[in-house]
Amino acid sequence: PVFASRTPQLPAPFGTLAYTADRFTDLPPVDRLSAFPLFFDLMCFDADEETYAAYDKISFAQLVAKRNASQQLYDVFLKPVLIALMFAPPEELSAAACLAVLTNYVLSHQNDFDVRWPSAPQQVFERWTERLVDRGVELRGSTPVSHVLVDGNKVAGVQTTNGENIEAQIVILACGASALPRIIDKSPAAVRECAGLRDIGNLTCSAVTAARLTAEP
């Protein structure tokens, strides 16, 4: 967790702001400060049923605009966090719901700010793997890809680091910010010059993808 070993233990929201500073390097102090008007809403949105209902009638995106929070704060921090927690963009979520989540997850429980895996994550992936195999999917672990193969201007598959060619009509590049530039750099010009991959060498991080997994009995 972010705050487990950080001292002093600052009260919310100061601990959250102070101890995540090194994790949001593209969020300047002036943008961070623009969040302070929202703290009033965090403290009073559930004061009573009438107040909660009023916040529930507007979207969180509308509330952020009303409080003049910076667009950078919204794009870099608020929107990604809420999408990861609530699986929907803030413009589709009520302000009351978002404030409740931010209060509980980001402010009230600072020691749990980082997302944690279930106590037995292997159980999740084992069941997931079984379902995929049952549907004819071949899963191959410990098989790093060297580069993408092409036939003319069409994708033909990938070559692994041990020299094996795996034919494919579609290649999904979902290997993260560290491996992806190396794969593209070793691939033929048709891949390197693709509009969506041309500047991949400047990639420094991967966007977060949130998925909801439903456990069946």
Side-chain angles (χ1 to χ4, degrees):
V2 174
F3 306 111
S5 60
R6 305 296 288 268
T7 55
Q9 290 288 315
L10 300 175
F14 301 107
T16 308
L17 292 173
Y19 296 142
T20 59
D22 58 342
R23 294 173 177 250
F24 298 95
T25 56
D26 51 352
L27 196 60
V30 65
D31 293 295
R32 297 167 189 262
L33 292 174
S34 73
F36 273 95
L38 290 171
F39 291 129
F40 169 80
D41 301 295
L42 286 165
M43 290 185 290
C44 72
F45 78 96
D46 59 349
D48 51 54
E49 292 186 7
E50 183 178 352
T51 303
Y52 187 92
Y55 279 98
D56 200 39
K57 291 179 180 178
I58 63 173
S59 71
F60 186 74
Q62 291 173 314
L63 178 64
V64 170
K66 185 177 180 180
R67 295 294 182 252
N68 293 316
S70 76
Q71 189 65 39
Q72 184 78 348
L73 175 73
Y74 180 79
D75 292 337
V76 172
F77 179 73
L78 293 173
K79 186 173 183 177
V81 165
L82 289 170
I83 289 177
L85 294 175
M86 303 183 73
F87 305 96
E91 56 267 21
E92 298 179 10
L93 300 168
S94 82
C98 291
L99 291 169
V101 166
L102 290 173
T103 297
N104 182 70
Y105 185 73
V106 178
L107 301 181
S108 298
H109 298 277
Q110 294 184 38
N111 285 341
D112 299 319
F113 185 79
D114 269 359
V115 176
R116 298 185 183 186
W117 284 107
S119 57
Q122 70 276 8
Q123 296 179 6
V124 175
F125 289 104
E126 285 174 0
R127 295 184 64 183
W128 198 356
T129 299
E130 291 173 1
R131 293 289 184 87
L132 292 171
V133 172
D134 289 342
R135 287 162 172 76
V137 176
E138 180 186 355
L139 300 176
R140 301 180 57 172
S142 302
T143 311
V145 170
S146 170
H147 59 271
V148 178
L149 300 173
V150 298
D151 182 7
N153 288 324
K154 293 184 178 181
V155 169
V158 297
Q159 184 175 102
T160 66
T161 53
N162 64 6
E164 179 187 3
N165 290 344
I166 301 176
E167 296 182 358
Q169 294 178 318
I170 298 174
V171 173
I172 299 174
L173 297 171
C175 49
S178 59
L180 184 56
R182 294 197 299 269
I183 293 174
I184 299 303
D185 186 57
K186 295 180 180 179
S187 298
V191 176
R192 296 196 308 272
E193 296 173 3
C194 178
L197 301 173
R198 192 174 297 136
D199 297 323
I200 207 70
N202 298 324
L203 186 66
T204 57
C205 64
S206 298
V208 173
T209 299
R212 184 188 296 274
L213 302 178
T214 302
E216 298 179 358

